[in-house]
Amino acid sequence: MRFLPEAESAALVNEELAFTAVRSALIAAAEPQSSVFPAVACHGSDPANRFTVKPGASASLAGVKVGSYWPGNAAMGQPRHNSVVLLLDQSVGRVEAVVEAGVVNAYRTAAADAVAASVLARDDARTLAIFGTGHQALYECLALARVRPISTILVVARSAAGGAEFLSRLAARGLTGTLAPAEEACAAADIIVTATTATAPLFDAAWVRPGTHVASMGSDAAGKQELPPALLTAARLFCDLPSQSVRIGELQHVAALVAEGTLTVTAIGDVLAGRTPGRRTPDDITVFDSSGIALQDLFIAEALLRAG
């Protein structure tokens, strides 16, 4: 059995590796031979300490990702988010590799955003509005800057202090950001990304101009919500896995409309494979809902093992 500890996986991962692996994973997720099983939300002895189990299989890989969020870790100087991926040897059913992937998970999540934007955002998209200044938001900005000519980043923060700290983190990675109120950021944006733990819409649908691409990256559990339902009913909808998006993703809030056929949801893998069009006109408003699927973790774990 191979073991790739956190320090090694963090040293090996980069945006290019994550993009390539996650793109393959999203294509595989739309193939009939793949299975993505329902995610299981759990908690530790203290209910504030949460973890999620995500299993899946493709034509070549099978395994599970366990992702944890221990909010008290910050006070001890430890990361609040951790992740581990187990790959199975399908010939005998034993674990053949264990990959610690705390840092990797942030790259993996942001890569899905970038992969979707590469086929849904306008080619000339230059202004990014990012909602959230937490652990994930920086990785979203970095990933998107690789696939579109981002020159302006408008940061919508809950607090001035948190926003200022986030601008410093952006600057340290060569990106320039400006704090902006939600309405101003949305009105100017070519791409809007939400990376929060919100349970109510973060902005008004009327603030989003034609041609904007919107990505919800934070809605990955029942009750979470970042986008206004009016936007979902007006936009073209894409996601990583339709069956999961209407259960625990952003699209849970329009699940009834999807079930009755009023709204159509397209797996981004079908767009990447050329089976379905992505952006059709410059004025399309596109929405990508990313609730995160196990195949992303399995494919990136395999890529890291090859790189190591």
Side-chain angles (χ1 to χ4, degrees):
M1 183 182 73
R2 290 190 62 183
F3 174 59
L4 197 64
E6 177 67 28
E8 291 185 30
S9 67
L12 289 168
V13 72
N14 55 52
E15 281 88 5
E16 181 178 357
L17 181 148
F19 183 96
T20 301
V22 168
R23 185 180 190 279
S24 296
L26 292 171
I27 292 172
E31 300 290 349
Q33 61 267 47
S34 293
S35 297
V36 178
F37 305 101
V40 180
C42 314
H43 63 72
S45 302
D46 179 348
N49 297 327
R50 303 190 300 274
F51 62 99
T52 303
V53 180
K54 291 187 173 183
S58 70
S60 59
L61 297 172
V64 62
K65 189 275 282 288
V66 179
S68 63
Y69 176 69
W70 253 239
N73 280 5
M76 300 182 291
Q78 297 289 326
R80 291 177 291 182
H81 296 265
N82 283 286
S83 180
V84 63
V85 183
L86 282 68
L87 293 176
L88 295 178
D89 178 343
Q90 296 194 74
S91 64
V92 294
R94 297 181 61 185
V95 174
E96 71 173 347
V98 176
V99 178
E100 290 188 325
V103 170
V104 167
N105 192 69
Y107 281 88
R108 157 265 201 206
T109 299
D113 189 359
V115 169
S118 73
V119 291
L120 297 180
R122 298 194 326 270
D123 290 342
D124 64 349
R126 296 182 179 277
T127 300
L128 167 64
I130 179 79
F131 283 74
T133 59
H135 174 77
Q136 188 60 41
L138 175 64
Y139 293 91
E140 303 297 325
C141 295
L142 293 168
L144 287 169
R146 290 187 66 256
V147 299
R148 286 297 181 267
I150 302 298
S151 58
T152 301
I153 299 176
L154 302 175
V155 179
V156 182
R158 286 190 299 179
S159 71
E165 192 273 336
F166 184 73
L167 295 183
S168 295
R169 291 165 59 203
L170 282 175
R173 299 298 292 268
L175 298 175
T176 301
T178 304
L179 297 183
E183 183 172 1
E184 177 184 319
C186 289
D190 301 310
I191 300 174
I192 299 171
V193 174
T194 56
T196 75
T197 59
T199 56
L202 297 167
F203 54 86
D204 192 303
W207 300 346
V208 180
R209 62 183 181 173
T212 303
H213 171 60
V214 182
S216 170
M217 305 303 297
S219 293
D220 59 357
K224 287 189 175 182
Q225 185 178 20
E226 298 181 305
L227 308 183
L231 177 66
L232 302 180
T233 58
R236 298 187 61 225
L237 304 179
F238 302 85
C239 68
D240 44 17
L241 187 72
S243 60
Q244 179 172 286
S245 291
V246 296
R247 188 170 66 89
I248 64 170
E250 189 66 38
L251 302 186
Q252 65 185 279
H253 304 290
V254 290
L257 296 177
V258 175
E260 69 186 26
T262 301
L263 294 180
T264 299
V265 182
T266 300
I268 195 67
D270 283 328
V271 178
L272 298 168
R275 292 186 288 267
T276 304
R279 171 169 292 277
R280 294 180 300 194
T281 75
D283 287 339
D284 278 347
I285 294 177
T286 55
V287 168
F288 175 61
D289 176 27
S290 175
S291 52
I293 56 175
L295 295 188
Q296 294 170 240
D297 304 290
L298 304 186
F299 274 69
I300 202 168
E302 183 190 45
L304 290 165
L305 290 166
R306 287 198 306 266

